[in-house]
Amino acid sequence: MSRKSGAAAVVEAVAVALTIGPAAPAGAVTGTWKNCTSVNKKYPHGVGKVKARDRTSGRPVTTFRKSDSLYAQAMRANKGLDRDKDGIACEKR
């Protein structure tokens, strides 16, 4: 391999990297977990831990999607989805 072909390979690799673009930042909020409006489109009553109980002075929401893994995914993407920190993200009647 000549020096010229090695340099050409480096230039080509850089060009490919620039074309692909940077990866999304680790804390980027995407898709379903962007905000409660987008969560409620897929999960109308929110998502929560299996044993979570809605903290409310009124009638509690019990129809949320119960899934520890979905709740964890939501919290990794956007901790603001569970404002009252009751283990249910975007609860809605």
Side-chain angles (χ1 to χ4, degrees), residues 11-35:
V11 169
E12 184 178 341
V14 170
V16 168
L18 291 174
T19 303
I20 293 171
V29 177
T30 60
T32 302
W33 313 117
K34 183 177 180 181
N35 54 40

Side-chain angles (χ1 to χ4, degrees), residues 32 35-44 92:
T32 302
N35 54 40
C36 282
T37 301
S38 57
V39 171
N40 292 140
K41 284 181 183 175
K42 186 161 185 170
Y43 306 104
K92 184 174 164 185

Side-chain angles (χ1 to χ4, degrees), residues 18-92:
L18 291 174
T19 303
I20 293 171
V29 177
T30 60
T32 302
W33 313 117
K34 183 177 180 181
N35 54 40
C36 282
T37 301
S38 57
V39 171
N40 292 140
K41 284 181 183 175
K42 186 161 185 170
Y43 306 104
H45 304 283
V47 296
K49 296 177 182 177
V50 172
K51 294 185 179 185
R53 299 290 175 255
D54 187 16
R55 286 189 204 152
T56 182
S57 59
R59 197 176 84 227
V61 175
T62 58
T63 54
F64 60 91
R65 172 73 185 266
K66 294 172 174 74
S67 171
D68 291 338
S69 62
L70 276 176
Y71 179 80
Q73 184 180 355
M75 292 301 97
R76 279 192 304 272
N78 186 352
K79 290 185 188 286
L81 297 175
D82 186 7
R83 286 183 257 164
D84 58 358
K85 308 220 184 319
D86 61 357
I88 307 168
C90 303
E91 59 263 38
K92 184 174 164 185

